[in-house]
Amino acid sequence: MKKIVILGGGYGGVLTAKKLANKFKKNDEIEIQLIDRNPYHTLLTELHEVAANRTPEDAVKIDLKKIFANQKVDVVLDEIQNIDFEGKKLKSDKATYAYDYLVIGTGSKPTFFGIPGAAENTFSLWSFDDAVRLKRQIRNMFSEAAKEADPIIRQTKLSFVVVGAGFTGVELVGEMAEFRDELCKEFYIEPKDVRLVVADMAPKILPILPDKLIAKSEKHLRKMGVEIITSAKITGVEPTAVMLGDQQVAANTIVWTAGVEGSDLVGTLDVKQEGRRRISTNDKLQSLDHENVYVVGDNIFFIPEGETRPVPQMVENAEAAAPIIAHNIHADVTGKDKKSYKPTFHGTMVSIGSRYGVANVGMPSKMFMLTGFMALLSKHFINMFYLSTVAGFNKVWSYMMHEFFHVENRRSFLGGHFSKRSPNFWLVPLRIYLGWMWFHEGWEKLGKIIEEPSRIFLIPASPLIDATSAASEAINDVAQAVDAQTAASAVASTGETLTALPVPGFVTSLMNTFMDIFFYHTDGSYTVLAQIFQAGMVLAEITFGILLILGLFTAISSIATIGMGVMIYTSGMAPYEMLWYVTAAIATIGGAGSIFGLDYYVLPWLKKQWKKIPLVRRWYLFTD
């Protein structure tokens, strides 16, 4: 039995554990264990959204046990204090964990560069707890300022300084500018009384981006009312002020985002380190001191061939390193060749508030600069792609909910159009009426089928049948019943013509081919399958009509009636009334049965049973 231990449930640790579980899923002699002090994986790149109240707090957390449900990974909650590399053991205050292979992915923490007072007097944004603490601080300052009579103290409470104008600092201050507008309305404070500052010792913000994107970012920040201070040496931080160059900026809230270093644990390890507490590795991402110890994510210090700088401390680095480490451990166990780490980075994306962003993305040989909607679209796409690899449909769905559909105050790159909601009880009359119409139409047709089972009236006559005979049959059909599913182009007994919805020629051609194969004999008469199809359609109309009336499986029933409407349309037999049927069905898809319908009782019970199925949990095919 071999034991692989992954230390840290960050981006690199989670992805490495999933890759290893997949590679060793049929090997019972391999044990995989992931150790972290928190029971959840944190989406660190989205912390600014929680800190500035754009998304709920649980939006940036994913339960580790959910991530590895029914997978070969044992999740252990503990905080490791020391690693004995010679004895191959990890030690905490309460337990000791042996390993054969170790993957270190403990991440990083803020670094304060020895600046007096910085660690003691600032807020950071590097964990879930940091984001929650900062959100409460911002709200408390507005609450206290609203009751403060002293103008100097009030101004200090309403001043917010973000030290560090890299990705984290700019994304945070952009979100804070939107949060400011909400809090000003809530506490009756004038926006001009609030001061937002982002400061950096570097000569420009977001230095990794092209100058054109930097200029656009600065312009947008200033438009949002954010002061930008660059080339300002930070000499000290006091409880209510920060020294920026030769000026002192008074503020009760100072956030530090100016740099990171390796975790405290990494700093105590007896391994070769470079940079700020980063473990030196070879091209296989093994520690230079211990070949059975691998390093992932921010803890890596590795300079790729042909480069002069180590790989950056970015999420994409962790995503690229994880499969290499998993492959190399599997190769070592199975006696195969290891792979070298040759990272290719595809650019960076920065959101400045919820509705604007900049991005420089592509391949190393060709990068594309994006701004506004397209930049945010690329950022959301990358986030959803990552979430699909970690927790599949479940987390992608919840991400879309809190980013697109459950967003307050229009804080979405879609402008809030998809987030507008009204009570579902307004849809109850429409749902019942739509259900009655389908049931009524189906019930009438059922009588005709029972009376003469061989008579086909829901499928057009074959073009091979004599035109005169076809017209005669159409007249008889219309005389008996003309409804939303009858041949709308047939000639009525009054001599009037019912106009059908126009169908593109290529659709008609496809449908004719389909019906020639399944519904017509070579002489133009109907096949048995045509009778079965007609009976099925009639029963479907009755069934889905009843379900809509009862409000049971409303979403499925609505989608099914849309499908029936589309089939009727493509056959060239749909009157203009069919547009009403389809439009009403679209309106009732989203929760119309949860009010005064059986969905209110049935769906919650089914949801509990569904989540118990191993395959569903394994592939995250459920919503929370």
Side-chain angles (χ1 to χ4, degrees):
M1 178 70 72
K2 298 260 183 207
K3 184 175 181 181
I4 306 169
V5 174
I6 299 99
L7 183 56
Y11 291 95
V14 164
L15 289 174
T16 302
K18 288 186 74 72
K19 297 291 184 182
L20 285 167
N22 185 57
K23 286 184 175 295
F24 290 109
K25 62 183 177 182
K26 296 182 179 179
N27 190 333
D28 295 331
E29 296 183 354
I30 297 295
E31 181 183 352
I32 303 171
Q33 193 173 66
L34 184 142
I35 303 175
D36 196 276
R37 61 187 176 188
N38 294 315
Y40 50 82
H41 167 56
T42 304
L43 304 175
L44 296 179
T45 59
E46 310 305 308
L47 288 177
H48 58 280
E49 296 186 13
V50 170
N53 200 43
R54 173 145 68 99
T55 58
E57 294 177 4
D58 61 357
V60 298
K61 297 193 298 183
I62 312 177
D63 184 354
L64 286 172
K65 291 187 181 294
K66 176 193 289 186
I67 291 176
F68 298 107
N70 294 336
Q71 289 186 313
K72 192 177 179 176
V73 178
D74 177 32
V75 176
V76 176
L77 302 182
D78 203 350
E79 186 168 6
I80 301 301
Q81 304 294 338
N82 184 42
I83 300 177
D84 176 6
F85 292 109
E86 299 302 324
K88 299 181 181 179
K89 295 178 180 179
L90 298 92
K91 299 179 181 180
S92 73
D93 290 337
K94 61 181 183 181
T96 298
Y97 307 91
Y99 68 85
D100 293 290
Y101 295 94
L102 174 64
V103 180
I104 299 177
T106 55
S108 51
K109 67 170 191 173
T111 183
F112 299 96
F113 306 104
I115 296 174
E120 299 81 4
N121 300 316
T122 62
F123 292 84
S124 56
L125 190 65
W126 205 248
S127 70
F128 171 77
D129 292 335
D130 287 346
V132 174
R133 190 180 304 115
L134 180 56
K135 180 172 71 172
R136 292 173 182 168
Q137 167 70 9
I138 296 171
R139 176 173 287 279
N140 287 340
M141 289 300 98
F142 274 82
S143 178
E144 293 176 13
K147 298 175 285 187
E148 181 59 58
D150 188 311
I152 296 178
I153 297 177
R154 183 176 188 271
Q155 180 59 60
T156 303
K157 291 181 182 297
L158 292 176
S159 295
F160 304 86
V161 179
V162 177
V163 178
F167 296 152
T168 303
V170 169
E171 289 193 322
L172 174 61
V173 79
E175 294 287 347
M176 288 174 66
E178 294 183 350
F179 193 23
R180 169 202 59 202
D181 297 339
E182 295 177 13
L183 292 173
C184 283
K185 291 180 181 178
E186 181 179 347
F187 293 102
Y188 307 100
I189 293 173
E190 291 293 328
K192 62 181 178 60
D193 295 338
V194 182
R195 187 181 186 190
L196 285 176
V197 179
V198 60
D200 204 298
M201 291 179 282
K204 53 187 176 182
I205 68 172
L206 303 171
I208 197 173
L209 291 178
D211 289 340
K212 183 178 179 179
L213 294 181
I214 292 174
K216 287 181 177 290
S217 301
E218 290 179 342
K219 181 180 179 180
H220 191 76
L221 284 171
R222 291 193 173 97
K223 183 179 178 181
M224 300 177 82
V226 176
E227 296 180 40
I228 302 173
I229 300 176
T230 54
S231 301
K233 186 177 181 181
I234 301 165
T235 56
V237 182
E238 299 175 2
T240 59
V242 56
M243 293 300 300
L244 301 176
D246 56 0
Q247 66 171 311
Q248 184 182 65
V249 178
N252 266 20
T253 307
I254 303 165
V255 189
W256 192 271
T257 66
V260 296
E261 62 183 24
S263 65
D264 290 331
L265 175 63
V266 169
T268 65
L269 299 180
D270 185 21
V271 291
K272 184 178 180 181
Q273 301 181 27
E274 296 185 64
R276 293 192 289 267
R277 296 183 178 180
R278 298 172 70 179
I279 301 174
S280 300
T281 73
N282 60 18
D283 64 327
K284 307 298 188 295
L285 298 182
Q286 297 165 293
S287 165
L288 297 181
D289 303 289
H290 308 282
E291 64 178 14
N292 66 332
V293 176
Y294 291 80
V295 187
V296 71
D298 286 355
N299 298 130
I300 298 172
F301 187 94
F302 171 65
I303 302 176
E305 184 178 353
E307 301 290 336
T308 58
R309 295 182 178 182
V311 291
Q313 291 169 294
M314 296 168 56
V315 172
E316 191 175 7
N317 177 36
E319 293 175 336
I324 295 297
I325 293 173
H327 171 86
N328 288 343
I329 292 177
H330 182 263
D332 197 63
V333 171
T334 57
K336 297 179 180 179
D337 293 333
K338 295 184 176 69
K339 291 182 180 179
S340 296
Y341 183 42
K342 299 176 182 179
T344 300
F345 297 107
H346 300 90
T348 51
M349 295 149 287
V350 184
S351 62
I352 306 174
S354 61
R355 295 185 291 273
Y356 187 82
V358 295
N360 190 42
V361 294
M363 299 296 291
S365 58
K366 181 63 176 179
M367 303 296 285
F368 299 91
M369 291 186 287
L370 306 174
T371 61
F373 180 88
M374 293 306 298
L376 288 177
L377 181 64
S378 65
K379 188 175 191 294
H380 287 304
F381 176 80
I382 293 299
N383 286 343
M384 287 191 288
F385 177 78
Y386 169 74
L387 293 174
S388 70
T389 64
V390 173
F393 170 79
N394 173 265
K395 195 58 187 178
V396 172
W397 176 266
S398 64
Y399 180 86
M400 291 192 297
M401 289 299 104
H402 69 248
E403 290 288 351
F404 309 145
F405 302 116
H406 293 169
V407 184
E408 296 184 0
N409 300 306
R410 300 186 178 182
R411 291 178 68 180
S412 164
F413 85 119
L414 298 171
H417 289 286
F418 285 94
S419 63
K420 296 297 181 182
R421 300 189 299 279
S422 61
N424 286 335
F425 60 74
W426 293 117
L427 295 173
V428 172
L430 179 64
R431 184 200 84 213
I432 295 175
Y433 183 65
L434 177 65
W436 166 253
M437 290 298 292
W438 278 108
F439 173 78
H440 175 71
E441 303 296 350
W443 188 259
E444 283 196 346
K445 296 190 197 69
L446 182 62
K448 292 190 291 184
I449 290 178
I450 294 174
E451 180 181 347
E452 191 178 347
S454 62
R455 179 169 172 267
I456 303 297
F457 53 87
L458 289 183
I459 301 173
S462 171
L464 297 176
I465 295 180
D466 179 75
T468 303
S469 174
S472 176
E473 291 182 12
I475 291 173
N476 291 332
D477 288 345
V478 175
Q480 292 187 43
V482 177
D483 52 38
Q485 285 71 45
T486 321
S489 59
V491 179
S493 59
T494 60
E496 297 182 26
T497 300
L498 298 178
T499 305
L501 286 167
V503 182
F506 75 93
V507 175
T508 300
S509 177
L510 288 173
M511 283 302 298
N512 287 340
T513 302
F514 174 85
M515 289 190 288
D516 283 341
I517 295 172
F518 295 101
F519 294 158
Y520 304 135
H521 290 300
T522 54
D523 62 354
S525 60
Y526 291 110
T527 64
V528 174
L529 189 59
Q531 297 179 8
I532 296 173
F533 174 80
Q534 176 171 271
M537 281 288 290
V538 171
L539 291 176
E541 291 176 13
I542 295 173
T543 301
F544 291 121
I546 292 174
L547 290 176
L548 286 169
I549 292 171
L550 296 177
L552 179 61
F553 304 127
T554 309
I556 296 174
S557 300
S558 298
I559 294 171
T561 60
I562 293 171
M564 289 193 298
V566 171
M567 283 194 293
I568 296 167
Y569 164 72
T570 56
S571 71
M573 302 173 66
Y576 276 83
E577 285 84 351
M578 185 55 64
L579 295 176
W580 179 89
Y581 280 76
V582 173
T583 304
I586 292 172
T588 56
I589 289 176
S594 62
I595 302 292
F596 300 116
L598 294 182
D599 281 347
Y600 180 83
Y601 304 99
V602 175
L603 292 188
W605 181 84
L606 286 177
K607 191 174 181 180
K608 291 180 181 179
Q609 309 312 312
W610 177 257
K611 291 176 67 173
K612 294 178 182 179
I613 301 173
L615 180 65
V616 171
R617 290 172 58 81
R618 172 68 174 80
W619 293 103
Y620 316 104
L621 301 175
F622 59 93
T623 63
D624 296 321

